[in-house]
Amino acid sequence: DYADGLKNVLIQKINKTEKSLYSLKLDYCRFVYGLSHRSKVMYDQVVYQVRSVDLDSMTRSDGGEWSRPVISAVRIEDNRPVNNEAVDLGRNWELFAG
């Protein structure tokens, strides 16, 4: 049936586009915010190491820019995790330069 075939083609194109957008958002985080999976960030004067980045939390501004993503991270001291429990830091983190 033509409609079913067209539906399947459109689903495949949508899935491919969503994967491309995901990849581009990862690149955006890396190059605009300096953020990667194991980056160190500062939140409330405490250093954390990123464990996950929620790309779906990124919103687009009227100017076309993407917001900072919500991240989860573990607290670290002396470059070692204090514990392995990740906490949600929201968007109010800063990249740690130290």
Side-chain angles (χ1 to χ4, degrees):
D1 181 45
Y2 178 76
D4 286 337
L6 182 58
K7 177 180 135 186
N8 290 336
V9 168
L10 291 172
I11 288 172
Q12 289 174 357
K13 285 185 176 191
I14 290 168
N15 290 339
K16 182 178 178 184
T17 302
E18 286 176 336
K19 286 179 187 175
S20 293
L21 179 58
Y22 185 84
S23 178
L24 289 169
K25 282 183 174 181
L26 280 174
D27 289 343
Y28 191 89
C29 286
R30 189 174 303 117
F31 294 110
V32 174
Y33 297 120
L35 188 66
S36 67
H37 184 63
R38 296 292 181 192
S39 294
K40 292 177 186 167
V41 296
M42 180 77 80
Y43 177 80
D44 199 23
Q45 299 182 354
V46 177
V47 179
Y48 292 85
Q49 188 172 44
V50 175
R51 288 293 191 249
S52 67
V53 178
D54 181 4
L55 297 176
D56 292 331
S57 69
M58 297 172 74
T59 57
R60 204 161 185 188
S61 72
D62 292 337
E65 297 90 9
W66 289 95
S67 70
R68 289 173 184 258
V70 169
I71 63 171
S72 293
V74 294
R75 184 177 178 162
I76 60 171
E77 290 178 7
D78 298 322
N79 288 324
R80 293 187 170 176
V82 173
N83 60 43
N84 286 326
E85 186 175 329
V87 293
D88 183 8
L89 300 182
R91 289 187 177 97
N92 296 324
W93 49 268
E94 296 291 328
L95 194 63
F96 181 66

